[in-house]
Amino acid sequence: MSDFLFNHLLDDAHQCPIIVNGVACQVPEQLSVAAALLYLGHLANRQHPVSGELRGSYCHAGFCFECLVAIDGQANKRACLTQITPNMSINTALAGVN
Amino acid sequence: MAQIYDYLVIGAGPAGMAAAIETSNAGLSVLVLDQASSAGGQIYRNLGHADKQQTSVLGSNYGAGKPLLECFMAANCDYQSSVQVWHIETHTKGFLVAAIVAGETKSFLTSHLLLAHGAMERPMAITGWHKPGVLTAGAGQILLKSSALMPKEVVLVGSGPLLLLLAQQYRVAGVAIKAILDTTPKSNYWYAIPWLVAGLTNPMELFKGLWLTLVQRIKIPYISGVSHLEVMGDEQVSGVKYTVSDRVYNIDCKLVMLHQGIIAQTQMAQMLRCAMVWNERQQCWQIKADVMGYTSIPGVQVAGDGGSIGGALLAQIEGRVAGMGRVFNTPVVSPWHKKWVYSWLRFRVKQLRWARGLVDRLYRPAEWLSKPADQTIVCRCEQVNAKTIRSIVNSGCAGVNQLKRFTRAGMGACQGRQCGLNLSHLVAQTQQRPMAEVEPLSVRPPLSPINLGQLAKSLRL
Ligand code: FES
């Protein structure tokens, strides 16, 4: 699942440390959590509670609620509406990851 | 006792900013609540902090928001960013707006309310649109504006000015656009011809639009007349299947961005029980309002794309008109020339709305897109497909709101934002009734999720 499908436009962007599923990573600062997940290659961030199918962020504008993840221990936060902060801990809701 | 504002504006896009400037300059106490982390709305998103490189990729229309943004930041009004409004209700003092600000619940009182929350993208329910790797074109633009992030390789699918604009921006930024699959029905071009007269009243925009369309067609593999789209892949996207003139094609890709125009957001107004109307030209429900933005509920106005879709310039003028309307409602004495400006701006609103008819007709969504295939998931949140919906409607279900109780479609976390319109289309088609006769999905509190702790705290004003 870890295809790097996105690029950052600025080469010299400052980096910000975050923790995704327990793994320390560096991403350019000023990303939303949903953007950071895409940047790191996580297209999917949760499993649908009914079908178990994988789902990923879709609208990035707060409308679709597909981007729900746990941020600093708080479950079901919309990743697209949250900006990353240094050492923020993000947990996707995928079986076998958490 | 909480302060009672004279004017509470929801949304800090062009409409909200213009209204706030107008009213606060007249001396009213104004509060602006905005969902984003910085002012600007979707069009000028992150403009205040955008890097030079970003601004050059995003183009001149993006940078054009600077003066308005600066004027707004200097205005004497209260402004709160990153606010989630979760409830609005009428109150003895006017209106009560309940919101979550930095994780805490807060309530605000106001005598007058302006809904300037903007629009959202028209949901494009094609088979496989729920797979990871499918985003909207709007999402693509947001990623570029706020996060300076762009895909390495992408397929753009759908119809509408935003799709072409994104193509242009991606091209400048060096993204490999594998193809644009254009779903605009060919007949739209014929139907749009009479509207050229309307478009000509706004020649600059018309010219820019034509140019944008032409350039993409020349520089990017551009496939028009596309239908029967399907996103392929098991766990995530592996390609797109489409039909052109009865021949089926496949294109491999891992990222797809969909778009078929934008529609007004009506949730907040519906919560206040404002009257709604079906707009045949824009193919969406709208909040019923007059030129000054007054809705059917006294004290509630709407401005910008959240009312009638018209773009940034129109939104800004509508915001100003709404703000002026509010000022004239107070004992504040306005300078004599304001009345003239007011009349002129109201005329501009009517003119620009008419001019928009060209875009509306040219990019009217293809009819087949409102008739999802049986296996297509229509309600993403509750995973309900078109077949289930059709069969329930066929067995006698009266309308969308009853459908919601039978199937859970529209009951999920997104509150029907992604399925509401398509549910109504399916009901209208199955019952063979016009859309105007079918009700929109009703809205229930909370407008956005709130946890129990926050709810408990919100009871104190
Ligand atoms: S991606 Fe749609 S709500 Fe976050």
Side-chain angles (χ1 to χ4, degrees):
Chain A
M1 275 304 294
S2 270
D3 270 340
F4 296 102
L5 301 175
F6 284 85
N7 271 334
H8 199 258
L9 182 65
L10 320 172
D11 315 317
D12 53 349
H14 287 281
Q15 300 287 306
C16 172
I18 55 170
I19 302 147
V20 178
N21 296 330
V23 181
C25 323
Q26 294 277 338
V27 295
E29 60 177 16
Q30 280 195 4
L31 299 193
S32 69
V33 172
L37 288 171
L38 290 181
Y39 180 79
L40 292 169
H42 301 275
L43 280 188
N45 53 262
R46 67 183 188 115
Q47 268 174 308
H48 191 271
V50 179
S51 66
E53 283 181 322
L54 297 181
R55 292 288 178 93
S57 58
Y58 172 70
C59 73
H60 284 253
F63 298 128
C64 72
F65 289 76
E66 293 285 10
C67 61
L68 303 180
V69 292
I71 298 172
D72 286 334
Q74 271 203 312
N76 292 332
K77 299 287 277 182
R78 271 177 286 177
C80 67
L81 295 183
T82 317
Q83 292 296 118
I84 54 163
T85 49
N87 302 319
M88 179 182 260
S89 162
I90 301 155
N91 278 292
T92 60
L94 297 173
V97 177
N98 299 341
Chain B
M1 189 68 213
Q3 180 186 0
I4 303 169
Y5 285 96
D6 293 325
Y7 207 40
L8 192 151
V9 180
I10 297 180
M17 291 194 288
I21 294 166
E22 198 63 43
T23 42
S24 57
N25 282 352
L28 304 191
S29 63
V30 181
L31 170 67
V32 181
L33 300 178
D34 190 37
Q35 179 174 276
S37 54
S38 62
Q42 297 294 5
I43 175 107
Y44 307 132
R45 182 182 269 267
N46 203 33
L47 180 59
H49 308 108
D51 193 87
K52 258 209 196 93
Q53 216 170 325
Q54 256 168 305
T55 334
S56 73
V57 162
L58 288 164
S60 60
N61 277 6
Y62 181 61
K66 271 254 155 76
L68 178 66
L69 191 66
E70 278 161 12
C71 198
F72 171 67
M73 293 321 282
N76 185 19
C77 63
D78 292 346
Y79 157 63
Q80 300 226 2
S81 59
S82 306
V83 175
Q84 294 291 326
V85 173
W86 66 272
H87 189 58
I88 306 184
E89 62 185 26
T90 45
H91 185 271
T92 44
K93 302 271 181 342
F95 302 94
L96 180 121
V97 177
I100 303 171
V101 187
E104 297 284 322
T105 30
K106 281 198 179 156
S107 301
F108 306 95
L109 285 173
T110 180
S111 60
H112 287 71
L113 190 63
L114 174 67
L115 304 175
H117 44 43
M120 55 175 264
E121 288 181 271
R122 181 188 301 276
M124 191 166 172
I126 59 173
T127 307
W129 70 312
H130 57 284
K131 292 192 197 312
V134 182
L135 283 86
T136 67
Q141 237 200 0
I142 289 169
L143 284 168
L144 199 55
K145 286 177 183 169
S146 335
S147 301
L149 214 62
M150 54 191 188
K152 290 180 182 160
E153 192 180 72
V154 69
V155 171
L156 302 178
V157 178
S159 171
L162 180 70
L163 195 73
L164 297 169
L165 181 63
L166 181 70
Q168 161 84 9
Q169 293 165 340
Y170 272 178
R171 221 167 33 76
V172 174
V175 174
I177 304 173
K178 265 197 129 173
I180 298 187
L181 306 180
D182 186 347
T183 59
T184 314
K186 293 240 162 91
S187 58
N188 276 17
Y189 296 100
W190 295 107
Y191 285 122
I193 289 175
W195 282 100
L196 266 177
V197 188
L200 276 171
T201 58
N202 201 356
M204 198 56 202
E205 285 302 307
L206 182 66
F207 178 72
K208 272 196 213 162
L210 280 176
W211 181 246
L212 191 66
T213 318
L214 280 176
V215 171
Q216 312 321 316
R217 281 183 186 244
I218 296 165
K219 303 229 168 169
I220 298 168
Y222 197 100
I223 301 153
S224 44
V226 167
S227 65
H228 298 94
L229 280 162
E230 200 176 314
V231 179
M232 315 295 287
D234 296 329
E235 293 220 302
Q236 65 179 69
V237 178
S238 64
V240 182
K241 194 162 111 185
Y242 61 95
T243 304
V244 181
S245 328
D246 294 329
R247 284 193 60 185
V248 182
Y249 300 85
N250 262 308
I251 185 165
D252 291 342
C253 60
K254 290 191 166 161
L255 281 177
V256 181
M257 288 183 183
L258 305 177
H259 181 75
Q260 53 162 348
I262 55 175
I263 57 174
Q265 273 191 76
T266 53
Q267 273 76 15
M268 285 187 195
Q270 277 183 278
M271 190 159 253
L272 285 160
R273 306 206 173 276
C274 294
M276 296 287 133
V277 280
W278 171 255
N279 184 328
E280 185 61 27
R281 205 178 84 186
Q282 302 198 327
Q283 291 286 302
C284 64
W285 268 288
Q286 277 180 354
I287 306 161
K288 196 173 174 192
D290 61 17
V291 187
M292 285 88 85
Y294 284 104
T295 66
S296 62
I297 304 286
V300 181
Q301 285 170 289
V302 57
D305 281 353
S308 146
I309 311 285
L313 175 64
L314 178 57
Q316 187 176 339
I317 299 176
E318 282 182 11
R320 247 190 109 183
V321 168
M324 285 177 141
R326 171 68 188 101
V327 175
F328 291 142
N329 250 333
T330 60
V332 177
V333 191
S334 303
W336 61 271
H337 71 272
K338 280 268 170 181
K339 295 256 177 205
W340 288 98
V341 178
Y342 190 46
S343 311
W344 162 243
L345 289 179
R346 277 181 306 173
F347 167 74
R348 283 285 282 164
V349 169
K350 286 189 197 156
Q351 184 225 335
L352 286 171
R353 279 192 189 164
W354 184 56
R356 175 76 189 185
L358 177 63
V359 177
D360 290 340
R361 194 59 198 87
L362 187 57
Y363 294 113
R364 179 186 283 214
E367 217 175 300
W368 61 269
L369 277 164
S370 66
K371 296 175 179 158
D374 273 349
Q375 77 277 15
T376 306
I377 304 282
V378 175
C379 167
R380 302 169 60 116
C381 300
E382 298 291 336
Q383 194 96 0
V384 187
N385 65 23
K387 187 176 181 185
T388 312
I389 292 161
R390 286 196 177 103
S391 75
I392 296 283
V393 180
N394 267 327
S395 61
C397 165
V400 268
N401 291 306
Q402 209 175 58
L403 187 68
K404 179 168 160 182
R405 270 160 238 148
F406 283 137
T407 63
R408 295 192 60 85
M411 219 180 254
C414 87
Q415 282 263 13
R417 287 174 177 94
Q418 294 299 322
C419 66
L421 190 55
N422 288 325
L423 293 182
S424 299
H425 275 306
L426 284 167
V427 169
Q429 289 155 13
T430 318
Q431 297 179 340
Q432 298 185 336
R433 286 198 291 162
M435 278 297 270
E437 274 180 26
V438 180
E439 56 189 348
L441 203 61
S442 59
V443 177
R444 302 245 177 280
L447 286 164
S448 68
I450 171 167
N451 63 38
L452 274 179
Q454 290 167 329
L455 189 64
K457 276 192 200 150
S458 72
L459 299 176
R460 276 171 258 136
L461 196 61

